[in-house]
Amino acid sequence: MQDAGSSQAGGDQRKPRYDLMDKAELETLTVAAIRQHRRLLAADQAVYEEWIRASEDPTIASSVLETLQEEHFARQTRAAAQQDALSDMLDALGFVPEVPVDDDVS
């Protein structure tokens, strides 16, 4: 139970920095964060697919597989942290802004 309270308090400590921002500035920052999140997901997917492909290839050294796996897990951790920050921005903004799909992100 204490962890849940601590987590909530931690969330409340981060959120005011966005609540105090000008809404137009926050929207611009949020759109940039959404675009960054899309790019991160695309890059993470490429690493994941390479790890899966390498896992199916018996000629790939176990050290290479281990490195790809570690990279995949590290990327998952970074993506979760970025998602938390983005969520805080969206909460402070109060809506999800429209963000066109970039041509370079599939």
Side-chain angles (χ1 to χ4, degrees):
M1 284 306 241
Q2 287 179 332
D3 289 337
S6 298
S7 176
Q8 182 64 29
D12 290 344
Q13 290 173 358
R14 289 185 303 204
K15 197 173 178 183
R17 74 174 171 196
Y18 298 120
D19 286 342
L20 298 174
M21 290 180 74
D22 174 72
K23 289 295 184 182
E25 182 181 352
L26 180 57
E27 184 173 356
T28 299
L29 182 66
T30 303
V31 167
I34 291 170
R35 285 189 167 129
Q36 177 188 19
H37 190 67
R38 288 175 181 174
R39 287 189 299 272
L40 287 173
L41 290 177
D44 295 351
Q45 184 65 30
V47 170
Y48 174 76
E49 289 171 4
E50 180 62 18
W51 173 40
I52 295 302
R53 186 199 61 72
S55 297
E56 295 169 351
D57 185 342
T59 64
I60 301 294
S62 62
S63 61
V64 172
L65 291 175
E66 185 176 319
T67 299
L68 286 168
Q69 182 181 26
E70 288 171 1
E71 178 65 19
H72 171 65
F73 291 146
R75 285 175 173 273
Q76 283 186 320
T77 301
R78 286 191 301 268
Q82 199 268 345
Q83 179 65 45
D84 286 343
L86 178 56
S87 179
D88 289 344
M89 288 179 212
L90 291 167
D91 286 346
L93 189 58
F95 66 95
V96 177
E98 268 192 56
V99 183
V101 177
D102 294 337
D103 291 335
D104 62 336
V105 177
S106 301

